[in-house]
Amino acid sequence: MSVITNIEDLRVLAQKRVPRMFYDYADSGSWTESTYHANTSDFAQMKFRQRVAVNMENRTLKTKMVGQDVHMPVAIAPTGLTGMQHADGEILAARAAEKFGIPFTLSTMSICSIEDIAAHTSKPFWFQLYVMKDRPFIERLIERAKAAKCSALVLTLDLQILGQRHKDLKNGLSAPPKLTIANILNMMTKPRWCMGMLGTPRRNFGNIVGHASDVSDMSSLSSWTSQQFDLALSWKDVEWIKRCWGGKLIIKGIMDAEDARLAVESGADAIIVSNHGGRQLDGALSSIAALPSIVAAVGEQIEVHMDGGIRSGQDVIKALALGAKGTYIGRSFLYGLGAMGEEGVTKCLKIIENELDLTMAFCGLTDVKKVDQHILIPGTY
Ligand SMILES: Cc1cc2nc3c(=O)[nH]c(=O)nc-3n(C[C@H](O)[C@H](O)[C@H](O)COP(=O)(O)O)c2cc1C
């Protein structure tokens, strides 16, 4: 294997090592994928002002997200089925994040359960909640997250209906994978992945199977899930969840200034400007393009975070320059995980840290908390 120096190297290796069905699940967007691609290409348009002869000693990337110390303003985004990119994927990514000093967010639709992550980590992690019709189940999930000492709840509002990803339909995406001839042939070319999966009992939705009523196996799970996302979700539900949870609440999936104002009124501590990594409304703005108007609307009242398209430390600092107080990575860490397990996630974080640190210095700053739009060339953002 050649030397890995950037996130693209991790992506290429993940593509070799992860079965097609799960690699495609990560590396795609909805419909024409225009928003998915805009998430990265809009970052590429933005240009830095390079500064020289500025003292670059004693640099720091340390800051806070929702009042919690972070080694750099980057958290691991919640991603479903992460334990299918690599055996025990959520545990491995949570461990890498903990050692690095950044937040790990566990998805409702994870393979490893809340309790699995709590048993394998020692610092608090964050839990992401989808609102299901079965409210007693939601209350139990919140109680489980409290019992696991999760230090923030990330409430995702942009997936009550599902954007269509063509490849997932064509591949017949499922967890565990259906053993069709095509899948078996493809998995036979991924021996590391197969060995890992054979060595773990965690191959199903750990937060749901055995916890939701009437869900005990795969077929009951898929019909339960397809009926459970609550189409009638409203801001009243958000307030109810805020009361049930009682701790730090981060609302994810905000792309509009008006919704951002409503999120402030609902009592959230932070919002994430996010289009779900281009997986939901194809044709929506990229997250980085949506960020400035949302920061202008609510940035004084609430912490604004963002995700979507971050593949480097340069992308992180561009988001900070436009007013984000924190960022999240989805695919970047998934590629690391699929490529090399925990070591790959650590590699991903180190790559981003190094790029962020050097870019900040090139722009003439030594403290990440001081980054603002002055580091950017006007007219490029
Ligand atoms: C494979 C995959 C699964 C995802 N699953 C979830 C999920 O379960 N819950 C959620 O809130 N967001 C989910 N997301 C969205 C991410 O949290 C995040 O918004 C997105 O990945 C950011 O874009 P990026 O991948 O370009 O960094 C998922 C994204 C991917 C790529």
Side-chain angles (χ1 to χ4, degrees):
M1 184 183 34
S2 56
V3 183
I4 288 176
T5 59
N6 56 49
I7 301 298
E8 175 61 12
D9 290 345
L10 291 171
R11 187 196 66 73
V12 170
L13 191 53
Q15 190 167 22
K16 282 197 191 120
R17 294 191 169 168
V18 178
R20 188 192 307 123
M21 172 187 294
F22 299 115
Y23 175 80
D24 283 352
Y25 168 66
D27 188 14
S28 46
S30 55
W31 288 309
T32 70
E33 301 193 328
S34 71
T35 298
Y36 175 42
H37 294 302
N39 274 350
T40 45
S41 59
D42 283 356
F43 269 124
Q45 303 291 323
M46 299 166 68
K47 303 295 174 218
F48 294 116
R49 281 173 67 201
Q50 177 181 295
R51 304 299 306 277
V52 295
V54 178
N55 187 342
M56 297 175 187
E57 293 168 320
N58 303 322
R59 299 192 298 276
T60 178
L61 301 179
K62 290 191 172 47
T63 180
K64 287 183 192 286
M65 287 170 76
V66 289
Q68 299 174 25
D69 290 326
V70 292
H71 178 74
M72 61 179 176
V74 179
I76 301 277
T79 53
L81 291 173
T82 301
M84 285 289 140
Q85 301 293 332
H86 189 288
D88 299 336
E90 291 92 353
I91 293 174
L92 303 185
R95 275 204 201 132
E98 172 172 311
K99 286 181 196 152
F100 211 86
I102 61 153
F104 168 80
T105 317
L106 183 73
S107 165
T108 296
M109 304 309 290
S110 57
I111 300 295
C112 304
S113 66
I114 299 174
E115 292 76 15
D116 283 333
I117 304 303
H120 289 89
T121 53
S122 50
K123 290 191 199 131
F125 59 99
W126 296 356
F127 180 66
Q128 176 265 326
L129 185 71
Y130 281 127
V131 184
M132 313 271 187
K133 284 185 196 152
D134 184 346
R135 294 299 201 270
F137 173 69
I138 295 299
E139 281 173 312
R140 283 198 301 280
L141 267 182
I142 291 176
E143 287 311 314
R144 289 167 64 195
K146 282 187 197 167
K149 304 208 167 16
C150 291
S151 54
L153 188 75
V154 174
L155 177 61
T156 301
L157 297 185
D158 65 356
L159 195 128
Q160 299 313 111
I161 46 173
L162 267 184
Q164 178 178 312
R165 292 183 300 272
H166 302 312
K167 285 182 200 155
D168 290 352
L169 295 177
K170 292 188 164 101
N171 290 334
L173 176 76
S174 69
K178 282 188 205 82
L179 294 180
T180 61
I181 290 176
N183 285 342
I184 291 170
L185 288 176
N186 183 251
M187 283 191 284
M188 279 166 63
T189 65
K190 321 284 176 192
R192 278 168 186 258
W193 183 92
C194 294
M195 292 301 289
M197 282 298 161
L198 290 173
T200 179
R202 302 182 189 92
R203 291 190 281 265
N204 219 318
F205 292 93
N207 292 327
I208 297 175
V209 175
H211 294 279
S213 43
D214 301 330
V215 182
S216 55
D217 62 13
M218 198 52 216
S219 60
S220 53
L221 174 76
S222 54
S223 59
W224 183 84
T225 321
S226 61
Q227 291 158 18
Q228 273 297 327
F229 285 89
D230 189 352
L231 299 183
L233 173 72
S234 77
W235 290 100
K236 285 259 163 289
D237 298 301
V238 174
E239 286 164 20
W240 171 72
I241 285 163
K242 163 96 187 158
R243 284 197 300 279
C244 292
W245 168 243
K248 295 284 181 194
L249 180 70
I250 303 173
I251 294 189
K252 178 169 186 281
I254 300 294
M255 285 293 288
D256 187 272
E258 194 48 44
D259 284 341
R261 285 190 199 98
L262 293 167
V264 171
E265 280 170 26
S266 76
D269 296 281
I271 55 171
I272 310 178
V273 175
S274 172
N275 51 34
H276 218 101
R279 297 164 78 79
Q280 288 291 87
L281 175 60
D282 184 39
L285 280 182
S286 69
S287 303
I288 193 66
L291 181 64
S293 64
I294 293 176
V295 169
V298 298
E300 299 280 304
Q301 291 136 281
I302 202 170
E303 218 170 281
V304 179
H305 301 169
M306 75 81 71
D307 73 21
I310 293 179
R311 304 287 182 271
S312 68
Q314 295 93 297
D315 295 339
V316 172
I317 202 169
K318 286 171 179 172
L320 302 179
L322 293 190
K325 298 293 177 209
T327 65
Y328 299 70
I329 48 171
R331 291 168 182 97
S332 291
F333 100 84
L334 289 176
Y335 298 150
L337 181 69
M340 298 157 63
E342 181 176 338
E343 196 191 338
V345 179
T346 303
K347 184 90 199 162
C348 155
L349 295 175
K350 285 193 172 152
I351 289 169
I352 290 179
E353 177 191 34
N354 187 46
E355 292 166 340
L356 174 58
D357 175 49
L358 294 182
T359 309
M360 179 174 77
F362 278 127
C363 292
L365 292 177
T366 55
D367 181 350
V368 84
K369 294 185 285 304
K370 303 254 165 71
V371 171
D372 65 17
Q373 62 186 28
H374 293 102
I375 67 163
L376 300 173
I377 304 271
T380 68
Y381 58 92

